[in-house]
Amino acid sequence: MTAPSIGNLADLARIAGVSTSTVSRALADSPLISEKTRTRIAELAREHGFQLNQVARNLRLGRTQAIAVVLPLGDESAQHVSDPFIMTLLGFLADALTERGYDLLLTRIVPADDQWLDRLTISGRVDGVIVIGQSDQRAVLDRTAARYLPLVVWGEAGIGQKHCAIGTDNCEGGRLATAHLLGLGRRRIAFLGNPAAPEIGARHAGYLAALADAGITAEPSLLLPLQLGSKAAFGLTRDFLAAHPEIDGIVAASDVAAMGAIRALSEAGRAVPEAVAVIGYDDVPFAAHTTPPLTTIRQDLGKGAELLVAALFERMAGTATPSVAFAPELVLRASA
Amino acid sequence: MTAPSIGNLADLARIAGVSTSTVSRALADSPLISEKTRTRIAELAREHGFQLNQVARNLRLGRTQAIAVVLPLGDESAQHVSDPFIMTLLGFLADALTERGYDLLLTRIVPADDQWLDRLTISGRVDGVIVIGQSDQRAVLDRTAARYLPLVVWGEAGIGQKHCAIGTDNCEGGRLATAHLLGLGRRRIAFLGNPAAPEIGARHAGYLAALADAGITAEPSLLLPLQLGSKAAFGLTRDFLAAHPEIDGIVAASDVAAMGAIRALSEAGRAVPEAVAVIGYDDVPFAAHTTPPLTTIRQDLGKGAELLVAALFERMAGTATPSVAFAPELVLRASA
DNA sequence: GCGATTTCTGCAATCGATTGCAAAATTGAT
DNA sequence: ATCAATTTTGCAATCGATTGCAGAAATCGC
């Protein structure tokens, strides 16, 4: 039978026959402790499987060594969505934070009032906050950002916006997608997605800009304000496409929406990309595996996560960081 | 200009002109505090936007109010995988834990040694641990489970296993999938997935059992031990299918694998499901949107998350819980 | 062998909360 | 007004660590 397991620093100190200060310093490799006692204590710690209590340690050090990652479930999307795009970003964030020795506190929030972010920031549970997606909470984000520095947001950097938003240039992405279809000779190009969301709005603006550049007047009826992730999405898409047989190109605001469109077209017997070219957005992991593989606009989430975390740490160190929008990238596959 | 913001309980006590004990009790709605002071203090707290420091509170109360959710990235899958299946489960877990007032600490681990789980359990950062997927870490899980009660695992309940595993009955799932294809008249059925992983192994066992029941001798060459999430997966699948033109049915160990197979078949000009019926596994969110929509074996992750969390809380309360395997379900769509 | 340095160790305060116990204030009865 | 019973409040210890400062032990010179 092994020795009774050691619960705290004091226990270990008792066993070692020294004070807690000495143990603490020994474990922290303080030069104040002689080589001899240091190794002896390290040995004892290993032997008894002792580890410092991180909570107590962090309390004393006035930090938490944890970052909150918030998924605000705005509006109607109160159902349990699990957008592969968001989840991929989350994975990268987990890696980036772990690498720096921080824990990641995952928080899903249905913003019932406008206090949710304040509650989180002053609860003392985390050293910083990363919000994924602005949803319809820009006002809350702006207000909190004015008071709480270590806050960064994945999303669109709007004008007059007070919080630090990091994301891809969605307007450029929308332009890129649309220009690609135009280059393919398509002229009656639909847009699938709800421009009311900031990111989607920017993509739609890019879509309009590209059309204008090509001298084409945008046809308002070719906009389907699709709620991402909604159950009704596929039905709406099918009906929309049936009502608009003239469409020869589709700019979808997400890969999921593009996938639905491809399926609807396929069921209606219209070939992709021959009859209708479809371009997605995000380049989620499965985009390469659809039939046909999805041409799409790629957002480099590895880079995005790295930028988010880098900005957050700068802010935790006290310096405000600007918003950044980096360029998305056209990924050519087979759907357009 | 508003009053300087209140940092801690003592500050608030000073402002209120009472002791910290009184403030603490007032905020906790203790009956020891008169109605008058209670409301006065509550009012002050709101006014100054004061909130208790949760870290300090939990330290005193000897808990953390946080649960670790671990994604062990076993073997070669050290790349940044983001299996939609795992991510969906994660979302449900986040909801279930939040509902009970617990934080979710997300931890990705590449098991370099066999101490990773011990380090986590004795770090004092969490009150319990949920491990998603056994990967190749069964020994570690068993060892830790013997010492640390509040540990539950999403995965396959193997015989002689010491830890509490909760998951669907993978053998039954594999049987279901295979029996469905057999019912469709298919006879040369391939299995896509690596049986070395516990869950996949069980699905493969079910596949073999179904074939045996139908009086068919399983053909070892019809097994493609595909590494899930690997980059090479698609190429391997294509080559495999090209080498086996006799195949008329595919049981895939995941929806992602099924999707790859459908694409490979489609590129080879073989119709799904007419020439080759394909059935997936998991019923991830996009499974309904592939072309054709995926027939698959559904694992009810909402239920799974609920079971995991329920078992974990029982264990945190001190009672050991048994492993459970609940039934998966055949979802009929168009691919088989 | 003795005092002056240098090296090592320990006491006690601290982080921000909670809580048992005792003291103070209030209330009520006489 | 006095005293007992009751209600309210505060002191101080505690959770498990870290760290400034002071005191003990070891080392050194002569």
Side-chain angles (χ1 to χ4, degrees):
Chain A
M1 180 155 170
T2 56
S5 115
I6 300 301
N8 55 27
L9 219 163
D11 289 348
L12 186 53
R14 200 170 311 119
I15 292 188
V18 296
S19 75
T20 59
S21 336
T22 303
V23 175
S24 175
R25 292 193 177 105
L27 262 32
D29 280 334
S30 157
L32 286 180
I33 302 297
S34 70
E35 188 56 32
K36 202 184 338 172
T37 35
R38 197 216 313 277
T39 55
R40 188 168 62 87
I41 289 177
E43 178 57 37
L44 277 173
R46 179 151 9 88
E47 189 178 313
H48 291 85
F50 172 75
Q51 246 206 264
L52 289 173
N53 180 315
Q54 294 301 324
V55 174
R57 173 160 211 268
N58 288 334
L59 170 61
R60 177 61 231 256
L61 297 179
R63 64 181 192 195
T64 66
Q65 209 72 354
I67 302 296
V69 172
V70 184
L71 306 178
L73 308 175
D75 324 322
E76 69 298 316
S77 52
Q79 75 250 30
H80 305 263
V81 242
S82 61
D83 188 334
F85 171 77
I86 287 181
M87 293 300 155
T88 305
L89 179 55
L90 184 58
F92 281 114
L93 284 175
D95 288 339
L97 290 175
T98 304
E99 223 163 73
R100 300 179 197 223
Y102 275 72
D103 286 331
L104 155 23
L105 215 66
L106 183 61
T107 321
R108 299 183 116 202
I109 291 185
V110 182
D113 50 32
D114 58 354
Q115 300 289 309
W116 58 272
L117 191 49
D118 296 298
R119 270 197 296 272
L120 183 61
T121 55
I122 60 179
S123 70
R125 284 179 307 182
V126 293
D127 294 337
V129 177
I130 299 176
V131 177
I132 301 188
Q134 291 148 326
S135 183
D136 51 0
Q137 302 290 312
R138 295 177 90 130
V140 173
L141 293 171
D142 277 344
R143 180 166 50 73
T144 303
R147 173 181 63 68
Y148 183 79
L149 194 57
L151 166 70
V152 296
V153 180
W154 171 265
E156 179 74 14
I159 51 176
Q161 183 172 279
K162 310 287 288 178
H163 63 268
C164 171
I166 290 180
T168 53
D169 185 336
N170 286 297
C171 182
E172 171 63 10
R175 212 193 48 71
L176 223 54
T178 313
H180 176 66
L181 294 190
L182 288 167
L184 258 34
R186 309 306 164 119
R187 286 299 175 268
R188 289 171 303 278
I189 302 176
F191 186 91
L192 260 53
N194 188 352
E199 295 92 339
I200 312 291
R203 290 173 202 171
H204 186 244
Y207 158 86
L208 293 178
L211 288 180
D213 281 355
I216 297 182
T217 0
E219 174 60 61
S221 71
L222 290 190
L223 167 66
L224 175 61
L226 207 56
Q227 222 46 267
L228 295 182
S230 87
K231 282 221 167 65
F234 177 69
L236 287 174
T237 304
R238 186 174 43 199
D239 298 348
F240 173 78
L241 292 176
H244 293 278
E246 79 275 19
I247 289 172
D248 59 5
I250 294 178
V251 172
S254 76
D255 285 345
V256 178
M259 216 167 150
I262 289 180
R263 180 174 147 220
L265 290 167
S266 156
E267 287 183 7
R270 304 171 71 183
V272 176
E274 293 77 8
V276 183
V278 177
I279 185 165
Y281 209 106
D282 290 344
D283 194 26
V284 298
F286 68 71
H289 302 294
T290 56
T291 314
L294 220 48
T295 289
T296 189
I297 302 295
R298 173 170 166 70
Q299 307 195 62
D300 185 341
L301 295 185
K303 179 175 177 181
E306 201 45 61
L307 286 173
L308 279 168
V309 172
L312 181 64
F313 277 75
E314 268 195 64
R315 287 181 159 251
M316 292 197 294
T319 57
T321 53
S323 290
V324 355
F326 60 96
E329 180 185 349
L330 177 67
V331 176
L332 281 177
R333 293 205 184 91
S335 70
Chain B
M1 182 154 172
T2 56
S5 116
I6 300 299
N8 56 26
L9 219 162
D11 289 348
L12 186 52
R14 199 170 311 119
I15 292 188
V18 296
S19 75
T20 60
S21 337
T22 303
V23 175
S24 175
R25 292 194 177 102
L27 262 31
D29 280 334
S30 157
L32 287 180
I33 302 297
S34 70
E35 187 57 32
K36 201 184 335 168
T37 36
R38 195 214 317 278
T39 55
R40 187 168 63 87
I41 289 176
E43 177 57 37
L44 277 173
R46 180 152 8 87
E47 189 178 313
H48 291 85
F50 173 74
Q51 246 206 268
L52 289 175
N53 180 314
Q54 295 298 324
V55 174
R57 174 161 210 266
N58 288 333
L59 170 62
R60 176 63 231 255
L61 296 179
R63 64 181 193 195
T64 65
Q65 209 71 358
I67 302 296
V69 172
V70 183
L71 306 178
L73 308 175
D75 323 322
E76 68 300 313
S77 49
Q79 75 251 31
H80 305 262
V81 241
S82 61
D83 187 334
F85 170 78
I86 288 182
M87 292 300 153
T88 306
L89 179 55
L90 185 57
F92 280 114
L93 284 175
D95 289 339
L97 290 175
T98 304
E99 222 163 73
R100 300 181 196 221
Y102 275 72
D103 287 332
L104 155 20
L105 216 65
L106 182 60
T107 320
R108 300 184 115 202
I109 292 185
V110 182
D113 51 33
D114 59 353
Q115 299 290 309
W116 59 272
L117 190 48
D118 296 298
R119 271 197 296 272
L120 183 60
T121 57
I122 60 179
S123 69
R125 284 180 307 183
V126 293
D127 295 337
V129 177
I130 298 176
V131 176
I132 300 189
Q134 292 148 325
S135 183
D136 52 0
Q137 302 290 312
R138 295 177 93 132
V140 173
L141 293 170
D142 277 345
R143 180 164 50 75
T144 303
R147 172 182 64 68
Y148 183 78
L149 195 56
L151 167 70
V152 297
V153 180
W154 171 266
E156 178 75 13
I159 51 176
Q161 183 172 279
K162 311 286 289 177
H163 63 268
C164 172
I166 291 181
T168 53
D169 186 336
N170 287 297
C171 182
E172 172 64 10
R175 211 194 49 72
L176 224 54
T178 313
H180 175 65
L181 294 190
L182 288 166
L184 257 35
R186 308 305 163 119
R187 286 299 175 267
R188 287 171 304 278
I189 303 177
F191 185 91
L192 261 54
N194 188 355
E199 295 91 340
I200 312 291
R203 291 173 202 170
H204 187 244
Y207 157 86
L208 293 178
L211 288 180
D213 281 356
I216 297 182
T217 359
E219 174 60 60
S221 71
L222 290 188
L223 167 66
L224 175 61
L226 208 57
Q227 220 49 266
L228 295 181
S230 86
K231 283 220 166 71
F234 177 68
L236 288 174
T237 305
R238 187 176 41 199
D239 298 347
F240 174 79
L241 291 175
H244 294 278
E246 78 275 19
I247 288 173
D248 60 6
I250 294 177
V251 172
S254 76
D255 286 345
V256 177
M259 217 167 149
I262 289 180
R263 182 176 145 218
L265 290 167
S266 156
E267 288 183 4
R270 304 171 70 183
V272 176
E274 293 78 8
V276 183
V278 177
I279 185 164
Y281 210 107
D282 291 342
D283 194 26
V284 298
F286 68 71
H289 302 296
T290 57
T291 313
L294 220 48
T295 289
T296 189
I297 302 294
R298 174 171 164 70
Q299 308 196 62
D300 186 340
L301 294 185
K303 179 176 178 181
E306 200 45 61
L307 286 173
L308 279 169
V309 173
L312 182 64
F313 277 76
E314 269 194 65
R315 286 178 162 252
M316 291 197 295
T319 57
T321 52
S323 290
V324 354
F326 61 97
E329 183 187 345
L330 178 66
V331 176
L332 281 177
R333 294 206 183 92
S335 70

